[in-house]
Each structure stands twice: as structure tokens, then as C-alpha cells.
Amino acid sequence: MIIDFGKSTKIDAPVKKKSMTKAEQKIYRQSFPHIAPEIINGTSTQTIASDVYSFAKLVQFLCDKEALNLGAESQIMKNLALSEDPEARPKLSAFLN
């Protein structure tokens, strides 16, 4: 089981949006590649869609490091979850089926 509550928030009480320069955003992306783009660029706070993005980044990391081979359907789900557009990401429940 993998658990990280370091930057967690309550879904009904998210922290305020980030405000960073483009240079700061680039450094933040390099330091925290699992953080969804909309959080880094300041257009959104943490949401379930940003959690889906982070989960997909974790899956991508495991696949890269451990040479795991996802099935075609799982690969498609991972790629959708890594979309820059939060609305295009699958719902969390889609990963449970």
C-alpha cells in the first residue's frame, strides 16, 4: 500500500490556488512531477481529477522503473488520466472496474 498525505486537503476545503511565475512552475514540475498541471499553473486547487492525474503518474513511474507491461485497456486509461485537461481524465471509479 502506498500512502502519502503530505499535501492532502479535505475535498470540501481545498487550499488556495498557487501563484507562481513560469520559472517557478518549471522548477515545481521538475521537483513534483506527480502534481497535476492545473494546480501548478494556478487554474485549480486539488480535486479528484488532480488525484487521478497523480495516480496515473505513480502507475507510469512503476511501469518505467519495473518494466511493467500494462494491458492495452490499462495503458489507454493511464494515458487519459495524464491529460492536461482535468475534464478529459477518467473518473476515479473507472479504475475500480
Side-chain angles (χ1 to χ4, degrees), residues 44-61:
S44 180
T45 60
Q46 290 91 338
T47 63
I48 293 173
S50 66
D51 287 345
V52 167
Y53 181 91
S54 295
F55 175 73
K57 279 298 214 180
L58 173 64
V59 170
Q60 182 180 48
F61 174 81

Side-chain angles (χ1 to χ4, degrees), residues 1-96:
M1 182 183 306
I2 300 170
I3 300 173
D4 179 5
F5 292 105
K7 295 186 183 288
S8 65
T9 62
K10 289 185 174 184
I11 198 73
D12 59 350
V15 296
K16 67 179 189 161
K17 294 177 184 176
K18 294 204 177 294
S19 178
M20 295 185 270
T21 65
K22 293 289 183 189
E24 291 170 326
Q25 289 177 25
K26 182 178 179 183
I27 292 167
Y28 201 85
R29 264 192 199 93
Q30 291 170 341
S31 299
F32 305 103
H34 62 285
I35 304 292
E38 65 271 19
I39 295 173
I40 295 173
N41 67 26
T43 59
S44 180
T45 60
Q46 290 91 338
T47 63
I48 293 173
S50 66
D51 287 345
V52 167
Y53 181 91
S54 295
F55 175 73
K57 279 298 214 180
L58 173 64
V59 170
Q60 182 180 48
F61 174 81
L62 292 173
C63 289
D64 292 348
K65 290 291 183 187
E66 300 299 325
L68 298 176
N69 187 11
L70 295 177
E73 187 174 328
S74 295
Q75 185 70 33
I76 291 168
M77 287 288 290
K78 178 187 67 93
N79 291 341
L80 287 172
L82 290 173
S83 172
E84 293 281 320
D85 178 4
E87 296 296 320
R89 295 180 198 142
K91 301 296 180 214
L92 196 54
S93 60
F95 291 95
L96 302 176

